[in-house]
Amino acid sequence: MRTLITNIIMTPGVTTETQIPFIHNAEIQIDDHRIVYAGAKENAPRFEADQVIDGEGALAMPGLCNLHTHTPMTMMRSAGSDLPLERWLNEMVWPVEKFLTDDSVKAGSDLGILEMIRCGTTSFNDMYFRMDRLAESVETSGIRAMLGYGVIDFDESCADLIPGIEFAMKWQHAAGDRIRVNIAPHSEAATTEKLLLRSKEVAEEMEVPLHIHICETSLDRTGCIERHGMTAAAYLEKLGLLDVPMIAAHCVWMDDPDIEIFSKHGVYIAHNPVSNLKLASGIAPISKMLNAGCRVTLGTDGVASNNNLNLWEEIKLMPLLQKGTLLDPTVVTPAQTLAAATSIGAKALGYDDLGLLKEGYLADIILVDVGDLNMCPSSEMEGNLIYAVESRNVKMTMVDGKVLYHNGVFTTMDPKRVLETAHKEALGLMTRAGRAK
């Protein structure tokens, strides 16, 4: 399929640029799943298209990358609201998760993916269990994902790692390479040294990243120091885990030496501002991290602690929280924020040809309506993109050159069926757990 997207404004995206570039009267040419031209229409080569998409003046940009979530937890949306993290986990999340079934995980996966597609997320990184059901949803929906089986180990048996390895071997590069995998030890507190070392060995053997929760709360930090005599960053460095590509979620309670360690090893930090605020975990020192050269990405976390999968909220909060806490409106620029949500996230997922709109790159593209009420006037496009866009402004979501959503219509998923199944399965889950209202 040869696709032409025309009548658009376009940002090719950013990597290290200090400002977000915009090209007016642009077009994008796509051959199968790759971009063959993206730029000014007047410079475009001749292109015979099988499909022409009229952007109607919308902004074309790279699709969003959600670098940390637990998609099936849509079944527990808003559950345990207004509890601190430890109580939220012990009193609501873990007791309910015991009653999850394959069907409820599948329903939650479909619902979460539907929401992400609607909000302009084209790829995501997930850690959970019963992961075959989530992978099946990714495969049929057309979205892109990196998936890891969440591994917990308290007795040095490393038993949980076995299904994690089996899952990774089964799904790596599946669905035309839209599915990639990682090894996902849950956290320092929920694993043993033996498990972490074994996880590193497996990740090295399979040449895949590690995905782990790090320093989400102050208790995580103090607990690690009590257990090991050092912070989590220092502990992971000591064990050699930072010699493997790593996506570290949260990283709220990190001091300057920790930040330097993560910068030195090129760790990808998945910043989850909404979840961290809702659970009163704190505010990650993102400005310090960026100044130290850290690779910062954005995530939503699961909807039980967010309570949605709308990455635009994270995009807006990433710079605002730093400006407000540091009392400096110049920190964390729009370009740094867009890079976190697109090109750096794509690198964290292991792609060198994703996250930008340029020749040879994968065609993961979204169209954003810049003529809507909240976007008018559009003379300050850079500020609007970071601070004004809402998920409802997303007109089209394309992954791998295939349109998954356009002007209210989903092409690979039936929203009515997804919603009906989700309501049914969520009610069944909460009934089994004795939490139905």
Side-chain angles (χ1 to χ4, degrees):
M1 173 76 75
R2 290 164 64 85
T3 302
L4 175 66
I5 305 176
T6 189
N7 190 17
I8 54 172
I9 306 167
M10 188 191 86
T11 176
V14 291
T15 52
T16 59
E17 293 84 350
T18 57
Q19 288 188 305
I20 302 172
F22 296 93
I23 301 170
H24 291 262
N25 193 23
E27 73 173 43
I28 303 171
Q29 301 172 358
I30 302 162
D31 189 352
D32 191 16
H33 62 292
R34 292 196 180 271
I35 297 168
V36 295
Y37 177 80
K41 184 175 181 179
E42 63 183 7
N43 299 326
R46 181 176 175 79
F47 186 75
E48 296 293 332
D50 304 306
Q51 172 184 229
V52 178
I53 298 173
D54 183 354
E56 300 176 309
L59 172 68
M61 61 177 286
L64 306 181
C65 302
N66 184 345
L67 260 291
H68 180 70
T69 190
H70 312 285
T71 307
M73 290 185 78
T74 49
M75 290 289 92
M76 291 177 275
R77 194 186 302 269
S78 299
S81 288
D82 306 316
L83 292 175
L85 178 63
E86 286 73 25
R87 287 188 59 198
W88 175 75
L89 287 170
N90 286 287
E91 297 176 21
M92 174 54 71
V93 174
W94 290 336
V96 172
E97 283 181 334
K98 293 177 182 178
F99 295 92
L100 282 167
T101 64
D102 279 359
D103 287 343
S104 55
V105 167
K106 181 64 166 64
S109 299
D110 286 344
L111 180 61
I113 288 172
L114 190 76
E115 182 180 356
M116 283 191 274
I117 290 172
R118 175 63 186 85
C119 293
T121 293
T122 53
S123 58
F124 67 98
N125 176 43
D126 202 286
M127 175 199 295
Y128 211 57
F129 48 92
R130 297 181 185 267
M131 291 296 284
D132 284 319
R133 304 290 82 78
L134 176 52
E136 290 164 6
S137 294
V138 172
E139 185 172 38
T140 58
S141 69
I143 202 168
R144 190 183 305 278
M146 176 174 277
L147 307 174
Y149 183 99
V151 179
I152 293 174
D153 182 52
F154 293 110
D155 60 4
E156 295 191 333
S157 69
C158 299
D160 232 15
L161 190 56
I162 296 172
I165 296 171
E166 291 173 346
F167 171 82
M169 294 181 67
K170 177 179 179 181
W171 289 99
Q172 173 72 319
H173 300 305
D177 200 32
R178 282 189 293 106
I179 297 177
R180 294 188 176 184
V181 301
N182 56 47
I183 302 300
H186 182 274
S187 59
E188 173 274 323
T191 56
T192 59
E193 182 173 313
K194 181 179 178 180
L195 183 281
L196 291 175
L197 290 172
R198 180 64 182 131
S199 295
K200 178 202 172 188
E201 291 173 2
V202 173
E204 286 179 322
E205 291 167 5
M206 295 192 65
E207 297 183 336
V208 300
L210 293 167
H211 179 200
I212 187 170
H213 298 84
I214 290 293
C215 299
E216 184 172 0
T217 67
S218 60
L219 184 60
D220 285 341
R221 178 179 176 81
T222 57
C224 185
I225 293 171
E226 290 172 0
R227 285 184 289 272
H228 306 292
M230 63 189 75
T231 65
Y235 177 59
L236 294 179
E237 183 181 47
K238 176 188 173 184
L239 296 183
L241 265 73
L242 302 187
D243 297 332
V244 177
M246 175 178 286
I247 300 168
H250 301 295
C251 303
V252 176
W253 291 87
M254 294 182 67
D255 58 18
D256 290 350
D258 295 332
I259 292 170
E260 181 59 35
I261 288 171
F262 272 23
S263 174
K264 179 175 67 175
H265 291 279
V267 174
Y268 288 96
I269 295 167
H271 178 41
N272 301 264
V274 173
S275 176
N276 295 155
L277 287 174
K278 183 169 184 285
L279 291 170
S281 299
I283 299 171
I286 295 301
S287 181
K288 276 189 176 183
M289 292 171 173
L290 290 170
N291 289 338
C294 288
R295 299 169 172 177
V296 176
T297 69
L298 280 169
T300 59
D301 210 352
V303 301
S305 64
N306 184 294
N307 295 9
N308 59 46
L309 295 166
N310 178 8
L311 203 67
W312 294 104
E313 293 185 352
E314 319 296 332
I315 289 172
K316 185 172 183 175
L317 274 177
M318 175 177 156
L320 290 187
L321 286 173
Q322 302 305 304
K323 295 173 191 296
T325 54
L326 297 175
L327 304 181
D328 183 353
T330 68
V331 299
V332 187
T333 67
Q336 288 174 314
T337 306
L338 180 62
T342 55
S343 61
I344 299 175
K347 288 281 189 183
L349 296 175
Y351 293 91
D352 292 323
D353 53 0
L354 185 68
L356 298 171
L357 303 189
K358 59 185 294 186
E359 181 180 345
Y361 272 54
L362 294 166
D364 287 15
I365 303 166
I366 62 175
L367 294 180
V368 177
D369 184 0
V370 294
D372 209 342
L373 292 173
N374 62 303
M375 297 290 286
C376 181
S378 57
S379 55
E380 298 291 342
M381 191 73 74
E382 187 177 58
N384 277 1
L385 181 56
I386 301 304
Y387 303 116
V389 174
E390 299 175 2
S391 61
R392 64 183 175 88
N393 300 129
V394 176
K395 291 167 56 70
M396 187 201 78
T397 301
M398 170 186 283
V399 178
D400 235 23
K402 183 175 183 178
V403 175
L404 307 185
Y405 171 84
H406 193 197
N407 289 335
V409 178
F410 293 88
T411 64
T412 60
M413 304 182 79
D414 179 352
K416 181 179 179 181
R417 182 195 63 79
V418 169
L419 287 166
E420 288 176 349
T421 304
H423 279 299
K424 174 186 173 184
E425 289 296 333
L427 177 60
L429 171 63
M430 291 303 175
T431 299
R432 293 191 298 274
R435 307 297 178 100
K437 295 182 179 179

